[in-house]
Amino acid sequence: MISYLVDAVLLVALAFTTVRVTMMHRELARLRSYQGEFSTIVHETAGAFDSVISAAQDHTATLGRLSEVLSTKIEQAHEAIAALDARRQFSSDAEGGAHAENS
């Protein structure tokens, strides 16, 4: 009689273990599918970051060239201002000399 009771307890334990293993198997299958999705998202994100880095490098190079062009234009502007100042100085010296001769 005790043997039947022990067998019944073991059978219930086996059934419970079977149910739990089946549930865990389904959960693992679901997690594997999530892992595949996660892996895809990580690869897409890495590609997006690569694109961002490439774009940043391109913009940095463009800004460097723009800086060089602006520096050249600023130098040209300084030279033009210096030339205008020299002309104005020459004009005022010439006018000052003409007024001195007429006086």
Side-chain angles (χ1 to χ4, degrees):
M1 178 84 159
I2 298 222
S3 169
Y4 291 121
L5 184 60
V6 170
D7 286 345
V9 169
L10 289 175
L11 188 61
V12 169
L14 180 62
F16 177 75
T17 303
T18 302
V19 169
R20 289 296 298 155
V21 166
T22 303
M23 290 171 54
M24 289 174 64
H25 177 70
R26 288 181 184 155
E27 183 71 18
L28 284 172
R30 188 173 61 87
L31 289 174
R32 281 190 193 116
S33 72
Y34 289 161
Q35 180 187 7
E37 291 174 14
F38 181 74
S39 178
T40 301
I41 290 170
V42 167
H43 288 304
E44 289 174 359
T45 302
F49 278 131
D50 289 341
S51 297
V52 167
I53 289 170
S54 176
Q57 289 172 343
D58 290 345
H59 287 299
T60 300
T62 301
L63 288 175
R65 289 190 299 271
L66 180 61
S67 175
E68 291 172 7
V69 169
L70 287 175
S71 293
T72 302
K73 295 299 181 183
I74 289 171
E75 282 298 318
Q76 290 174 351
H78 286 302
E79 290 171 5
I81 289 170
L84 289 173
D85 285 343
R87 263 193 218 160
R88 189 176 56 168
Q89 183 68 27
F90 180 73
S91 295
S92 46
D93 286 347
E95 287 177 7
H99 288 296
E101 290 177 7
N102 291 338
S103 299

